[in-house]
Amino acid sequence: MTLEQRNVRDYGIDDDDSFDTAAIQTALDDCAGTGGEVYLPPGTYRSAPLRVGDDTTFRLANGAELRFVQDFTAFPTVESRWEGWNQDGFHPCLYVADAANVTITGEGVIDGGGSYWWAFVSLPPEQYPSELAERLEAIRRGNQQDEVSTFTVRPPLLQIDGCENVTVSGVTLRNSPFWNTHVVYSDDVTIHDVSIQNPPDAPNGDGIDIDSSRFVRVSDTHIDAGDDAICLKSGKDEQGREVGRPTENVVVTNCTVEHGHGGVVIGSETAGDVRHVTVTNCTFTDTDRGIRIKSKRGRGGTVEDLRFDTIVMRRVACPFVINGYYQTDIDSDSEPVTEATPNVRNVDFHHITAEEVESAAFLAGLPERRFEGISFTDVDIDATRPFDASDLSPAMAKGYDQRHGIFCKSLGSVSFRDVRVTVPDGSGTPLTAEASSTVVLDGFEAQSDEGPAVEADGVEQLRIGGCVAPEDGEPFARVRDGADDANDANDGESSVLLAGNYGDMAEAVVSAQPEPVER
């Protein structure tokens, strides 16, 4: 079947400096519902925001560049979701809303002219143009704000909102005013062979945000982002829980990421749940964090059943982050469990290499709800990069200083099978676990010149198997009961189970009580 093609040049585009909005939008409107293809031949096109409707293929030829105008007055106000809340903001540059069977494709470029919008972010509001200040005041009257909100109602470059069966392929999407590509309240979305380009300092310059959407596939895509590269979200706080739409059944494969705050990120908007996610065959280079799960008290929601497999990371400040204290203090007392208490469980990391990183991992649940089922299998972490290479907080949790090794706190269960961790000489312990239920070490190897490989403080059960006791008589693990830890509701005596180790592991475990049990 051959699609009827509508060439935008047949709609009255002139080769001058005038806007091409009317011609392109008329072609898109003619296509919507009836089906067909809107074609942008090679050339440069300047446009105000555009909307794509049902049954439309929007094709940008190699050599075609669609540039959106740098003028906030050209962007009407629309209601959508911004940073987890349903509220008003500026019309997305390219908007696919309440539509089905849409394809955006070709080898052309879509440019959001983001520098115009980014300049406002660093300005104090009193320096805004008066018309912009009035516009923002009108938008914000019905909007919610929190301590991390900035001028975030800027338009996304591409937003797919309330849609079904949408494909984006081949194109380059760059210089977004806000998030680059936002998939929200949508089902059956494919993003394939796309190049996403935002400068590293682009404020809120996320690559792809998958937000309360299902059956989403991201493949063979390159992302150079100014914030999180691929981010999964499901709404914020009470409103997000009321909406109650999860992000689920998502596959990310064969993608390359450079720069940005994280390679693949879950949260911090987790209120509607995120589940059934697979990430495979990816590389993350020069990102702040690698695989990052972030939430905090008040968000609520459950993040569960995630699989990360066959990933290579290079020059990442912290390759593994599970953080229940996003932008809050890690040293906090236990609180009552409510619907606002977030949960993370069943997260698997498999066959992953992290080279030239600063902090091996930060894994912290909450004392009132320990995060469960965290597993690392066949993972090699070289955490020898100096801290001043990036000078970043590993997880954006307050009260936590950088350290090279793996840090665990308030976990229900975590396992390290065939895991190798290398830290610099004299830099401390390769693995520290605090106030957790079960820590399993099976073939855990630590490269460290001094001190034990493992510090366990308030770990109820430490299982060590397939590990090698140091030949020089130095301890492999130092274990301390956690009965005096008033911040954790489940602390108590520690037990150590040993099985199938090499050397005299019973002597290599320095334990308060009870004595290690050989099995």
Side-chain angles (χ1 to χ4, degrees):
M1 177 179 173
T2 303
L3 296 175
E4 180 182 355
Q5 188 179 87
R6 295 169 172 85
N7 189 321
V8 297
R9 290 194 174 274
D10 295 335
Y11 284 76
I13 287 180
D14 297 319
D15 290 321
D16 56 23
D17 291 334
S18 60
F19 288 170
D20 303 313
T21 313
I24 300 172
Q25 189 61 63
T26 300
L28 290 169
D29 290 344
D30 286 351
C31 224
T34 62
E37 178 179 287
V38 173
Y39 177 66
L40 262 66
T44 299
Y45 305 86
R46 297 176 67 239
S47 180
L50 297 168
R51 183 161 179 155
V52 183
D54 291 324
D55 304 311
T56 298
T57 294
F58 190 24
R59 183 179 299 276
L60 291 83
N62 187 7
E65 183 171 336
L66 176 59
R67 296 180 181 174
F68 287 97
V69 298
Q70 296 181 312
D71 179 5
F72 71 85
T73 65
F75 290 75
T77 299
V78 298
E79 183 179 348
S80 186
R81 180 183 261 188
W82 269 265
E83 288 204 322
W85 285 316
N86 294 336
Q87 52 194 10
D88 290 339
F90 289 93
H91 192 297
C93 297
L94 188 61
Y95 196 25
V96 187
D98 303 316
N101 309 319
V102 173
T103 298
I104 298 168
T105 190
E107 297 175 314
V109 174
I110 302 174
D111 192 305
S115 58
Y116 165 81
W117 299 87
W118 306 331
F120 292 123
V121 176
S122 59
L123 284 178
E126 59 269 19
Q127 293 184 23
Y128 290 167
S130 58
E131 190 174 351
L132 176 59
E134 292 170 4
R135 180 82 178 279
L136 287 172
E137 178 61 28
I139 287 173
R140 285 173 170 163
R141 275 190 207 112
N143 285 5
Q144 300 187 66
Q145 299 287 310
D146 65 10
E147 69 278 6
V148 299
S149 294
T150 57
F151 178 12
T152 55
V153 292
R154 290 167 274 135
L157 176 53
L158 169 62
Q159 187 173 68
I160 300 166
D161 185 350
C163 296
E164 185 174 359
N165 190 25
V166 176
T167 297
V168 183
S169 67
V171 294
T172 295
L173 301 165
R174 71 186 185 197
N175 297 328
S176 59
F178 184 55
W179 294 346
N180 188 297
T181 298
H182 185 198
V183 180
V184 59
Y185 299 142
S186 295
D187 290 353
D188 192 10
V189 176
T190 298
I191 299 172
H192 174 73
D193 191 25
V194 171
S195 178
I196 290 177
Q197 302 171 4
N198 280 345
D201 59 351
N204 310 104
D206 292 19
I208 300 171
D209 289 271
I210 302 166
D211 191 354
S212 291
S213 295
R214 304 182 302 166
F215 310 114
V216 180
R217 300 163 297 280
V218 181
S219 62
D220 300 281
T221 287
H222 176 73
I223 302 171
D224 191 346
D227 206 309
D228 293 329
I230 300 172
C231 194
L232 280 62
K233 303 172 179 287
S234 63
K236 184 182 287 186
D237 300 346
E238 184 178 1
Q239 187 195 92
R241 296 192 296 274
E242 289 175 355
V243 172
R245 294 186 62 168
T247 285
E248 59 186 341
N249 303 318
V250 176
V251 173
V252 177
T253 187
N254 298 342
C255 292
T256 56
V257 173
E258 59 180 320
H259 304 120
H261 293 181
V264 171
V265 178
I266 316 293
S268 70
E269 291 119 62
T270 59
D273 301 337
V274 178
R275 56 184 177 242
H276 313 321
V277 177
T278 300
V279 179
T280 63
N281 298 328
C282 294
T283 66
F284 307 147
T285 305
D286 293 313
T287 61
D288 294 353
R289 292 107 194 155
I291 300 162
R292 183 185 190 193
I293 301 170
K294 54 181 178 176
S295 192
K296 64 178 181 178
R297 295 177 175 113
R299 290 285 193 263
T302 296
V303 175
E304 63 183 340
D305 300 333
L306 315 180
R307 171 84 175 191
F308 301 92
D309 197 320
T310 314
I311 296 170
V312 175
M313 308 187 214
R314 299 183 184 90
R315 297 185 301 277
V316 172
C318 188
F320 304 99
V321 174
I322 300 178
N323 180 16
Y325 300 89
Y326 180 56
Q327 296 190 333
T328 59
D329 196 338
I330 190 173
D331 293 321
S332 61
D333 293 336
S334 181
E335 297 184 5
V337 174
T338 70
E339 63 177 9
T341 307
N343 192 21
V344 177
R345 62 192 179 202
N346 303 333
V347 182
D348 295 326
F349 303 100
H350 177 258
H351 197 48
I352 298 175
T353 299
E355 301 174 344
E356 297 179 73
V357 306
E358 295 160 42
S359 299
F362 177 95
L363 314 169
L366 299 169
E368 66 269 20
R369 175 170 277 165
R370 293 177 170 180
F371 294 169
E372 292 273 359
I374 315 301
S375 69
F376 292 77
T377 304
D378 188 20
V379 174
D380 196 335
I381 309 171
D382 171 26
T384 58
R385 193 181 189 210
F387 289 145
D388 59 8
S390 67
D391 236 4
L392 288 166
S393 164
M396 294 180 70
K398 297 178 181 178
Y400 178 81
D401 296 326
Q402 284 182 305
R403 63 181 76 185
H404 282 288
I406 296 171
F407 174 76
C408 305
K409 181 175 182 178
S410 297
L411 301 180
S413 59
V414 59
S415 62
F416 301 92
R417 294 181 170 88
D418 297 323
V419 172
R420 295 157 294 283
V421 179
T422 302
V423 299
D425 291 347
S427 65
T429 307
L431 171 62
T432 300
E434 300 177 0
S436 296
S437 301
T438 302
V439 176
V440 177
L441 307 177
D442 186 351
F444 180 81
E445 299 178 26
Q447 301 297 322
S448 178
D449 69 325
E450 60 184 29
V454 179
E455 293 272 6
D457 186 351
V459 173
E460 294 169 23
Q461 188 173 96
L462 176 64
R463 302 178 185 176
I464 302 175
C467 297
V468 180
E471 295 181 356
D472 57 6
E474 290 293 320
F476 176 84
R478 181 179 292 121
V479 180
R480 188 175 75 85
D481 285 350
D484 296 328
D485 186 353
N487 288 339
D488 196 279
N490 299 304
D491 54 28
E493 292 185 349
S494 300
S495 66
V496 180
L497 303 179
L498 306 177
N501 293 291
Y502 302 91
D504 193 350
M505 187 62 75
E507 290 295 323
V509 175
V510 180
S511 180
Q513 62 177 354
E515 292 296 324
V517 178
E518 286 281 8
R519 292 192 175 180

